[in-house]
Amino acid sequence: MSDKKKRIGILTAGGDCPGLNAAIRGVGKTAIIDHGMEVIGINSGFLGLINKEYIPLTEENLSGIITLGGTILGTSREKPYKKKRNGVLVVDKPKLIVDHYKEMNFDCLVVIGGNGTMSTAHRLSEEGLNIIGIPKTIDNDVWGTDNTFGFDSALSIATEAIDRLHTTANSHRRTMVIEIMGHHAGWLTLYSGMASGGDVILIPEIPYNMKKVAKCLEERVKNGKPFSIVVVAEGIKHPKKAHAANYIAQQIQELTGLETRETILGYIQRGGSPTATDRILATRFGTYAADLIVNENYGQMVIEDQGAIHHRPLSEIGGKTRLVPTDHELIQQLRKMGACFGD
């Protein structure tokens, strides 16, 4: 293990989410204060490494950012290994990243991102770079960790939004369809559906039948419940020319005749200040990442496992998605309380 002062880079890649600044702060402050490292922020994700856009991170400019949403470093969806249709790289971006990493004399690169970012991080580690990954996403779908920061904040926003729609649904005796983000994973829909008392919850992991959904809603009306809340994941099977909520609302109206309205929460779920839970998790991830660097334990992703912070090899993470098991405890509990999953 080298005794020389370490120089590390930090970047945030992919979509923004609450808690990114807390993670940057966790890595940076621990690295600077506890370990005497030099810390460099890389702007706009992997694009910043390609274009050599850097800023020094000091204890001073890391102070006061834990409450901020978004990322002080900026982000992008740059995929350095993405090829053109003929299978040829437009520019050898991975080589540029490797060259610029060496030019900057980095001892390690801390990469904060979701599934795609972790796949890129693993491939760069195979190129010989020292990489530490930190998982983030509101979708909570990064394989290998029980939780990612960003999820709790998005859950709070989605739950509050659905709570507000309850009053309109009740006042107008309507069926309200709310579309939740999450790509192909139903974690955010499942949790917000439970927290807000959703009557129908449709997630990508459970194939649904619209006739069964319609029957459920009609039964509610017969039982003296004139309004319903339908919580829908954006990634459920539906015609791609429409949003999931638009499609489900139209189907409900056609099959039941019930007055139905849809709401698509969209990017509002990703914005704003992180919850206390996300600030804490992001900080724990960041401080642990700094310790991995000190111990030169590279090629790892920081994870949460049953409440404790650990790590697992990036080689195990890439290309996998953490989906909701169809026998998940929350699904079983919701079924016992009469919630419909459309199956």
Side-chain angles (χ1 to χ4, degrees):
M1 192 178 298
S2 174
D3 290 329
K4 80 176 183 70
K5 182 178 181 179
K6 284 185 166 56
R7 178 181 171 92
I8 68 171
I10 304 175
L11 65 79
T12 54
D16 68 303
C17 79
L20 283 168
N21 287 321
I24 294 166
R25 176 180 177 273
V27 177
K29 282 210 163 191
T30 307
I32 294 166
I33 296 170
D34 200 36
H35 304 305
M37 298 182 195
E38 183 180 2
V39 182
I40 305 297
I42 299 163
N43 294 323
S44 304
F46 294 111
L47 198 59
L49 263 179
I50 294 166
N51 296 330
K52 299 203 293 189
E53 298 175 358
Y54 316 121
I55 56 170
L57 294 179
T58 64
E59 185 185 350
E60 183 179 2
N61 60 22
L62 289 171
S63 295
I65 67 171
I66 193 170
T67 63
L68 303 178
T71 164
I72 61 167
L73 298 177
T75 187
S76 70
R77 293 193 180 277
E78 171 64 44
K79 297 177 175 61
Y81 287 95
K82 187 175 182 179
K83 299 180 180 180
K84 293 180 72 174
R85 289 182 181 177
N86 61 6
V88 178
L89 287 167
V90 182
V91 178
D92 195 346
K93 294 178 180 178
K95 184 179 185 303
L96 284 176
I97 289 173
V98 171
D99 290 346
H100 296 160
Y101 173 101
K102 291 177 179 177
E103 280 181 22
M104 289 296 291
N105 293 314
F106 286 141
D107 293 289
C108 182
L109 178 65
V110 178
V111 175
I112 308 173
N115 279 318
T117 300
M118 291 305 119
S119 294
T120 300
H122 169 55
R123 294 184 71 172
L124 289 173
S125 71
E126 290 184 318
E127 303 265 6
L129 305 190
N130 296 331
I131 306 284
I132 298 294
I134 297 180
K136 65 85 196 166
T137 172
I138 69 168
D139 306 334
N140 210 29
D141 65 346
V142 177
W143 189 89
T145 181
D146 289 347
N147 286 292
T148 56
F149 65 83
F151 176 70
D152 187 72
S153 301
L155 174 58
S156 296
I157 294 164
T159 301
E160 181 182 356
I162 300 169
D163 287 349
R164 291 175 180 273
L165 290 168
H166 265 278
T167 59
T168 296
N170 190 11
S171 297
H172 291 270
R173 303 297 193 264
R174 285 176 180 164
T175 297
M176 300 296 289
V177 180
I178 305 97
E179 182 179 311
I180 306 295
M181 294 177 81
H183 292 292
H184 300 294
W187 294 105
L188 193 52
T189 302
L190 176 63
Y191 274 68
S192 61
M194 177 176 238
S196 61
D199 305 302
V200 176
I201 301 171
L202 303 182
I203 63 175
E205 293 86 348
I206 300 177
Y208 67 94
N209 182 316
M210 274 312 304
K211 290 183 179 178
K212 291 184 178 180
V213 173
K215 183 180 179 182
C216 168
L217 296 173
E218 288 171 337
E219 286 293 324
R220 283 180 54 77
V221 173
K222 289 178 184 177
N223 292 330
K225 300 172 181 177
F227 77 94
S228 295
I229 299 295
V230 180
V231 188
V232 177
E234 66 177 354
I236 62 168
K237 189 175 181 180
H238 69 283
K240 297 306 176 187
K241 62 183 178 181
H243 280 279
N246 299 134
Y247 173 72
I248 296 298
Q250 182 182 22
Q251 290 291 301
I252 290 171
Q253 188 107 23
E254 290 177 2
L255 291 170
T256 67
L258 297 172
E259 187 178 1
T260 307
R261 297 288 187 274
E262 70 271 11
T263 298
I264 300 164
L265 296 185
Y267 290 119
I268 193 172
Q269 295 161 92
R270 288 205 334 221
S273 182
T275 60
T277 296
D278 275 341
R279 295 178 197 185
I280 292 166
L281 181 60
T283 301
R284 294 174 74 200
F285 278 178
T287 56
Y288 191 93
D291 290 340
L292 286 174
I293 295 168
V294 168
N295 294 315
E296 298 183 358
N297 192 355
Y298 304 124
Q300 306 292 325
M301 184 183 83
V302 183
I303 67 165
E304 185 189 49
D305 182 14
Q306 298 182 24
I309 307 301
H310 295 293
H311 59 275
R312 37 191 332 160
L314 280 166
S315 58
E316 296 180 5
I317 309 300
K320 299 176 184 176
T321 304
R322 179 175 175 266
L323 301 176
V324 179
T326 55
D327 62 348
H328 191 277
E329 179 185 11
L330 262 61
I331 294 174
Q332 295 181 36
Q333 291 168 347
L334 283 162
R335 289 190 192 278
K336 289 178 182 178
M337 294 187 293
C340 172
F341 285 87
D343 57 343

